[in-house]
Amino acid sequence: MFRGMDKEGTGKLTYAEFRDSFRTLSYGLNDNDINMLIALADEDHDELISWEEFIPIGIEAICT
């Protein structure tokens, strides 16, 4: 899932990659929901979401 979202192959997701991917996954999330996920995921506030930061969000997305 993460690798498919990482269009640039950097090992980190930009906010745009994250946002675009979650919009197309059809989880019924609106932009506010996605922005909240971004804020929760980006623990180091570097405007990138690493694999380690993504794991809790990805697990939640898959399990719901």
Side-chain angles (χ1 to χ4, degrees):
M1 179 179 209
F2 183 87
R3 286 185 185 154
M5 295 171 128
D6 184 13
K7 304 290 186 217
E8 297 174 6
T10 62
K12 295 188 176 195
L13 301 176
T14 65
Y15 287 179
E17 289 172 326
F18 187 94
R19 191 174 286 112
D20 291 346
S21 295
F22 270 84
R23 281 184 185 137
T24 61
L25 289 173
S26 300
Y27 287 123
L29 301 175
N30 63 37
D31 286 341
N32 286 337
D33 295 333
I34 294 170
N35 288 335
M36 186 183 307
L37 288 176
I38 289 171
L40 290 171
D42 189 12
E43 294 175 358
D44 61 5
H45 308 288
D46 65 351
E47 298 186 12
L48 297 168
I49 299 170
S50 68
W51 168 244
E52 293 80 12
E53 292 171 324
F54 178 80
I55 291 170
I57 302 298
I59 290 172
E60 182 69 25
I62 291 169
C63 293
T64 58

